[in-house]
Amino acid sequence: MTLSEDDLIATLFAPLAGPGGLGLLDDAALLSPGLGEEIVVTVDAIVAGVHFFPDDPPASIAIKALGVNLSDLAAKAARPAGFLLVLALPPEADTAWLQAFSQALGETAKRHASPLLGGDTVRTPGPLTISITAFGTVPRGTMMPRTGARVGDRLYVSGTIGDAALGLALRLGREGLGTALVRLLDPAAQDHLTDRYLHPAPRLGLRAALQAHASAAMDVSDGLVGDLRKMLRASRVGGRVDLGSVPLSQAAAAAVALHPEAFETAVTGGDDYEVLTSVPQPRAAAFEAAAREAGIAVTPIGVVESDAGVAFTRDAQPVDYATGSFQHF
Amino acid sequence: MTLSEDDLIATLFAPLAGPGGLGLLDDAALLSPGLGEEIVVTVDAIVAGVHFFPDDPPASIAIKALGVNLSDLAAKAARPAGFLLVLALPPEADTAWLQAFSQALGETAKRHASPLLGGDTVRTPGPLTISITAFGTVPRGTMMPRTGARVGDRLYVSGTIGDAALGLALRLGREGLGTALVRLLDPAAQDHLTDRYLHPAPRLGLRAALQAHASAAMDVSDGLVGDLRKMLRASRVGGRVDLGSVPLSQAAAAAVALHPEAFETAVTGGDDYEVLTSVPQPRAAAFEAAAREAGIAVTPIGVVESDAGVAFTRDAQPVDYATGSFQHF
């Protein structure tokens, strides 16, 4: 390190600060919700060597660190209001790395209207660790819960599922699926999957559609199969899901065609940062129309039922994935 | 680790959750400020081997992790409203450690009416790292700033200064001050200093006194001398401070009598978690009375002046401490 903590903050991070950040000169930041608003708060930490590769580009690490938190706000139908950054920096983090990181962080923050409000920078003998607390606002009483799914609701996911998990398999290049994809998948498809692994795109555009029509939502971060189970368990219901209807990108579909294991990886692998939501049947058409207007694809994948547990099928055959969920932990 | 992340949360941390924490079942928590209230947010991370000793008792680590954040809220005259916890756990963190940690965390949270609202638990190959985001409320427009000190204001500190830094010196036991204190200081005094190092006591009781009378405040975490410079620089003023009037505990005074270096350590060493504040001269008597009513000692140590920089004296002689501030970073 050539910069002290104070220099680091003044040079690289103060330019990212929003008005509530008080120029990063104070010990604390201030959130001033509008009349009738509540504040949604969420925190996620990512650790080098656990959640990302230490040699990922610093810009990618910044996009992921903020993106995974904004994705939680997206699923709660909240409007971003800013974030706090904790950086635990190992000795090898140098000024060039920090410049690239802070620049990309600033761009991502600006794109999503979520300014830096404050934070803490500490030294660690361990791996780079980035913890972000993100704030969003909702009109009082409208935070989209994880617990609101009701029998008869339709289940939807946004975007496409599995790209990031296949991007990770590519990146790991392990014997089997990894080496098959590296060898056989065309370069453009490989780039697509890698990009989706590195750069989560929080579905903040779904806010109005969720707020108007959905009963429950969460973001898909630990694998669709496991996260479906979590959401329905939290809602004290079950469901039936046709995995054959889970939306795949062209690249992911090509991977599945090349290697059978790719499908299980896609639906259980995690890091999607898509929105999983339940919508009462009578609102389904309006939800789909609102999502279309927002320019975000949503696909029905199943229904909520009263029986505990989730029955997964594919091509009308029952499917049982033992783990169903990628455990970072 | 014998517990999964979900088990860990359900068993050890869900019992600590406040109503806004939604049973820790959701991806996010909800803050619902009252009419006319704003939310003060602050985050501080502590790293094993940097900010605390890996073999400190887990209860002490919990008290410090939450205490340093509540201390920031105390200095901002905010009423605690809850916190988010990020735990980055090394492989050696076992269930017994986590039980002791979560129990003490829960007790500290309860004592200060600051419930757990959510968080994230991740695995790390590095040292145990704990990052806490704390929330407090203030009536709109009344957050005590760091930038409000004005020429003529009196400067005060709460409690006593230097105990924690001397407790750290004792704990390190380095040749010189450390070994002298271990050898010469009576055991009760040693216990007092060690306790103050391990267990910061956030001065939340000063809230009303600060809100009614103070112009600026910050908590003393990086050493009184350096933090005084920071607060007055942030306020674009300077000051004159008589270090001879800085309040010392009996134990710290005994340490100073035994070893001359102890005084510099006390006023520059950090980890005090006392409140440093400026009070307009006409409000000084009322501020002192309000603090007395709250049962918290406050001591005048200097005045705010227009010249840049802070002139420190002791026994009427100028003092210049080169560093003045303990840099954790």
Side-chain angles (χ1 to χ4, degrees), chain A residues 240-284:
Chain A
R240 191 160 34 85
V241 170
D242 173 19
L243 291 175
S245 63
V246 168
L248 300 181
S249 67
Q250 279 194 314
V256 169
L258 286 171
H259 199 290
E261 205 185 285
F263 188 79
E264 178 170 349
T265 297
V267 297
T268 64
D271 279 339
D272 293 295
Y273 302 107
E274 295 292 351
V275 171
L276 167 65
T277 183
S278 60
V279 177
Q281 176 69 41
R283 316 300 297 259

Coordinates of all heavy atoms in Angstrom, one line a residue, chain A residues 240-284:
Chain A
R240 N -45.0 -27.2 -7.9 CA -44.7 -28.1 -9.0 C -44.0 -27.2 -10.1 O -44.5 -26.2 -10.5 CB -46.0 -28.7 -9.6 CG -45.8 -29.8 -10.5 CD -47.2 -30.6 -10.6 NE -48.4 -29.8 -10.5 CZ -49.0 -29.1 -11.5 NH1 -48.5 -29.2 -12.7 NH2 -50.0 -28.4 -11.2
V241 N -42.8 -27.7 -10.5 CA -42.0 -26.9 -11.4 C -41.5 -27.8 -12.6 O -40.9 -28.9 -12.3 CB -40.7 -26.3 -10.7 CG1 -39.8 -25.7 -11.7 CG2 -41.2 -25.2 -9.7
D242 N -41.7 -27.3 -13.8 CA -41.3 -28.0 -15.0 C -39.9 -27.4 -15.4 O -39.8 -26.4 -16.0 CB -42.3 -27.8 -16.1 CG -41.8 -28.4 -17.4 OD1 -40.8 -29.2 -17.4 OD2 -42.3 -28.0 -18.5
L243 N -38.9 -28.2 -15.1 CA -37.5 -27.7 -15.4 C -37.3 -27.5 -16.9 O -36.4 -26.7 -17.3 CB -36.4 -28.6 -14.7 CG -36.4 -28.5 -13.2 CD1 -35.4 -29.5 -12.7 CD2 -36.1 -27.1 -12.7
G244 N -38.1 -28.3 -17.7 CA -38.0 -28.1 -19.1 C -38.4 -26.8 -19.6 O -38.0 -26.3 -20.7
S245 N -39.1 -26.0 -18.8 CA -39.5 -24.7 -19.2 C -38.6 -23.6 -18.7 O -38.8 -22.4 -19.0 CB -41.0 -24.4 -18.8 OG -41.0 -24.4 -17.4
V246 N -37.6 -24.0 -17.9 CA -36.7 -23.0 -17.4 C -35.9 -22.3 -18.6 O -35.4 -23.0 -19.5 CB -35.7 -23.6 -16.5 CG1 -34.5 -22.6 -16.2 CG2 -36.4 -24.0 -15.2
P247 N -36.0 -21.0 -18.7 CA -35.4 -20.3 -19.9 C -33.8 -20.4 -19.9 O -33.2 -20.1 -18.9 CB -35.8 -18.9 -19.7 CG -36.0 -18.7 -18.2 CD -36.5 -20.0 -17.7
L248 N -33.3 -20.9 -21.0 CA -31.9 -21.0 -21.2 C -31.4 -20.0 -22.3 O -32.1 -19.9 -23.3 CB -31.4 -22.4 -21.6 CG -31.8 -23.5 -20.6 CD1 -31.3 -24.9 -21.1 CD2 -31.2 -23.3 -19.2
S249 N -30.3 -19.4 -22.2 CA -29.7 -18.7 -23.3 C -29.3 -19.6 -24.4 O -29.2 -20.8 -24.2 CB -28.5 -17.9 -22.8 OG -27.5 -18.7 -22.5
Q250 N -29.1 -19.1 -25.6 CA -28.5 -19.9 -26.7 C -27.3 -20.6 -26.3 O -27.0 -21.8 -26.6 CB -28.2 -19.0 -27.9 CG -29.5 -18.7 -28.7 CD -29.1 -18.1 -30.1 OE1 -28.2 -17.2 -30.1 NE2 -29.7 -18.6 -31.1
A251 N -26.4 -19.8 -25.5 CA -25.1 -20.4 -25.1 C -25.3 -21.6 -24.2 O -24.7 -22.6 -24.3 CB -24.2 -19.3 -24.5
A252 N -26.2 -21.4 -23.2 CA -26.5 -22.4 -22.2 C -27.1 -23.6 -22.9 O -26.8 -24.8 -22.6 CB -27.4 -21.9 -21.1
A253 N -28.1 -23.4 -23.8 CA -28.7 -24.5 -24.6 C -27.7 -25.3 -25.4 O -27.7 -26.5 -25.4 CB -29.8 -23.9 -25.5
A254 N -26.7 -24.6 -26.0 CA -25.6 -25.2 -26.7 C -24.8 -26.1 -25.8 O -24.4 -27.2 -26.1 CB -24.8 -24.2 -27.4
A255 N -24.5 -25.6 -24.6 CA -23.8 -26.3 -23.6 C -24.5 -27.6 -23.2 O -23.9 -28.7 -23.1 CB -23.5 -25.5 -22.4
V256 N -25.8 -27.5 -23.0 CA -26.6 -28.6 -22.6 C -26.6 -29.7 -23.7 O -26.6 -30.9 -23.5 CB -28.1 -28.2 -22.3 CG1 -29.0 -29.4 -22.1 CG2 -28.1 -27.4 -21.0
A257 N -26.7 -29.2 -25.0 CA -26.7 -30.1 -26.1 C -25.3 -30.9 -26.2 O -25.3 -32.0 -26.6 CB -26.9 -29.3 -27.4
L258 N -24.2 -30.2 -25.7 CA -22.9 -30.8 -25.8 C -22.6 -31.8 -24.7 O -21.9 -32.7 -24.9 CB -21.8 -29.7 -25.8 CG -21.7 -28.8 -27.0 CD1 -20.7 -27.7 -26.7 CD2 -21.1 -29.7 -28.2
H259 N -23.2 -31.5 -23.5 CA -22.8 -32.3 -22.4 C -24.0 -32.4 -21.4 O -24.5 -31.4 -21.0 CB -21.6 -31.6 -21.6 CG -20.9 -32.5 -20.7 ND1 -21.4 -33.0 -19.6 CD2 -19.7 -33.1 -20.8 CE1 -20.5 -33.8 -19.0 NE2 -19.4 -33.9 -19.7
P260 N -24.5 -33.6 -21.1 CA -25.7 -33.7 -20.4 C -25.6 -33.1 -19.0 O -26.6 -32.6 -18.4 CB -25.9 -35.3 -20.3 CG -24.6 -35.9 -20.7 CD -23.9 -34.9 -21.5
E261 N -24.5 -33.1 -18.4 CA -24.3 -32.6 -17.0 C -24.6 -31.1 -16.9 O -24.9 -30.6 -15.9 CB -22.9 -32.9 -16.6 CG -22.7 -33.0 -15.1 CD -21.2 -33.1 -14.8 OE1 -20.6 -34.2 -15.0 OE2 -20.6 -32.1 -14.4
A262 N -24.5 -30.4 -18.1 CA -24.7 -29.0 -18.1 C -26.1 -28.6 -17.6 O -26.2 -27.5 -17.0 CB -24.5 -28.4 -19.5
F263 N -27.1 -29.4 -17.8 CA -28.4 -29.0 -17.4 C -28.5 -28.9 -15.9 O -29.0 -27.9 -15.3 CB -29.5 -29.9 -18.0 CG -30.9 -29.4 -17.7 CD1 -31.4 -28.3 -18.5 CD2 -31.6 -29.9 -16.7 CE1 -32.7 -27.8 -18.2 CE2 -32.9 -29.3 -16.4 CZ -33.4 -28.3 -17.2
E264 N -28.0 -29.9 -15.2 CA -28.1 -29.9 -13.7 C -27.3 -28.7 -13.2 O -27.7 -28.0 -12.3 CB -27.6 -31.2 -13.1 CG -27.6 -31.2 -11.6 CD -27.3 -32.6 -11.0 OE1 -27.4 -33.6 -11.7 OE2 -27.1 -32.6 -9.7
T265 N -26.1 -28.5 -13.8 CA -25.3 -27.4 -13.4 C -26.1 -26.1 -13.5 O -26.1 -25.2 -12.7 CB -24.0 -27.3 -14.2 OG1 -23.2 -28.5 -13.9 CG2 -23.2 -26.1 -13.9
A266 N -26.8 -26.0 -14.7 CA -27.5 -24.7 -14.9 C -28.6 -24.4 -13.9 O -28.7 -23.3 -13.4 CB -28.1 -24.8 -16.3
V267 N -29.3 -25.5 -13.5 CA -30.5 -25.2 -12.6 C -30.2 -25.3 -11.1 O -31.0 -25.0 -10.3 CB -31.7 -26.1 -13.0 CG1 -32.2 -25.8 -14.4 CG2 -31.4 -27.6 -12.8
T268 N -28.9 -25.8 -10.8 CA -28.6 -25.9 -9.4 C -27.3 -25.0 -9.1 O -27.0 -24.9 -7.9 CB -28.2 -27.3 -9.0 OG1 -27.1 -27.8 -9.7 CG2 -29.4 -28.3 -9.2
G269 N -26.7 -24.4 -10.1 CA -25.4 -23.9 -9.9 C -25.2 -22.5 -9.2 O -24.3 -22.2 -8.6
G270 N -26.2 -21.6 -9.4 CA -26.2 -20.4 -8.7 C -25.5 -19.2 -9.5 O -25.1 -19.4 -10.6
D271 N -25.4 -18.1 -8.8 CA -24.8 -16.9 -9.3 C -25.6 -16.3 -10.5 O -25.1 -15.5 -11.3 CB -23.4 -17.1 -9.8 CG -22.4 -17.0 -8.6 OD1 -22.7 -16.4 -7.6 OD2 -21.3 -17.6 -8.8
D272 N -26.9 -16.6 -10.6 CA -27.8 -16.1 -11.7 C -28.1 -14.7 -11.5 O -28.1 -13.9 -12.4 CB -29.1 -16.9 -11.8 CG -28.8 -18.4 -12.2 OD1 -28.4 -18.6 -13.3 OD2 -29.1 -19.3 -11.3
Y273 N -28.5 -14.3 -10.3 CA -28.9 -12.9 -10.0 C -30.1 -12.5 -10.9 O -30.2 -11.4 -11.4 CB -27.8 -11.9 -10.0 CG -26.8 -12.4 -8.9 CD1 -25.6 -13.0 -9.3 CD2 -27.1 -12.4 -7.6 CE1 -24.7 -13.5 -8.3 CE2 -26.3 -12.9 -6.6 CZ -25.1 -13.4 -7.0 OH -24.3 -13.9 -6.0
E274 N -31.0 -13.5 -11.1 CA -32.3 -13.3 -11.7 C -33.3 -13.2 -10.6 O -33.0 -13.5 -9.5 CB -32.6 -14.4 -12.7 CG -31.7 -14.5 -13.9 CD -31.8 -13.3 -14.9 OE1 -32.7 -12.5 -14.7 OE2 -31.0 -13.2 -15.8
V275 N -34.5 -12.8 -11.0 CA -35.6 -12.7 -10.0 C -36.5 -13.9 -10.1 O -37.0 -14.2 -11.2 CB -36.4 -11.4 -10.1 CG1 -37.6 -11.4 -9.2 CG2 -35.5 -10.2 -9.7
L276 N -36.7 -14.6 -9.0 CA -37.7 -15.7 -8.9 C -38.9 -15.1 -8.2 O -38.8 -14.5 -7.1 CB -37.1 -16.8 -8.1 CG -38.1 -17.9 -7.6 CD1 -38.7 -18.7 -8.7 CD2 -37.3 -18.9 -6.6
T277 N -40.1 -15.2 -8.8 CA -41.3 -14.6 -8.2 C -42.5 -15.4 -8.3 O -42.6 -16.2 -9.2 CB -41.4 -13.2 -8.8 OG1 -42.5 -12.5 -8.1 CG2 -41.7 -13.2 -10.2
S278 N -43.5 -15.2 -7.4 CA -44.8 -15.8 -7.5 C -45.8 -14.8 -7.8 O -45.7 -13.7 -7.2 CB -45.1 -16.6 -6.2 OG -45.1 -15.7 -5.2
V279 N -46.7 -15.1 -8.7 CA -47.7 -14.1 -9.1 C -49.1 -14.8 -9.1 O -49.3 -15.8 -9.6 CB -47.5 -13.6 -10.5 CG1 -48.5 -12.6 -11.0 CG2 -46.1 -12.9 -10.6
P280 N -50.1 -14.2 -8.4 CA -51.4 -14.7 -8.4 C -51.9 -14.9 -9.8 O -51.7 -14.0 -10.6 CB -52.3 -13.7 -7.6 CG -51.3 -13.0 -6.7 CD -50.0 -12.9 -7.5
Q281 N -52.5 -16.1 -10.0 CA -53.0 -16.4 -11.4 C -53.7 -15.3 -12.1 O -53.4 -15.0 -13.2 CB -53.9 -17.7 -11.2 CG -54.5 -18.2 -12.5 CD -53.5 -18.7 -13.5 OE1 -52.6 -19.4 -13.1 NE2 -53.7 -18.4 -14.8
P282 N -54.7 -14.6 -11.4 CA -55.4 -13.5 -12.1 C -54.6 -12.3 -12.5 O -55.0 -11.6 -13.4 CB -56.5 -13.1 -11.1 CG -56.5 -14.1 -10.0 CD -55.1 -14.8 -10.0
R283 N -53.4 -12.2 -11.9 CA -52.5 -11.1 -12.3 C -51.4 -11.5 -13.3 O -50.6 -10.7 -13.7 CB -51.8 -10.5 -11.0 CG -52.6 -10.4 -9.8 CD -53.7 -9.4 -10.0 NE -53.3 -8.1 -10.3 CZ -53.2 -7.1 -9.5 NH1 -53.7 -7.3 -8.2 NH2 -52.8 -5.9 -9.8
A284 N -51.4 -12.8 -13.7 CA -50.3 -13.3 -14.5 C -50.1 -12.5 -15.8 O -49.0 -12.1 -16.2 CB -50.4 -14.8 -14.7

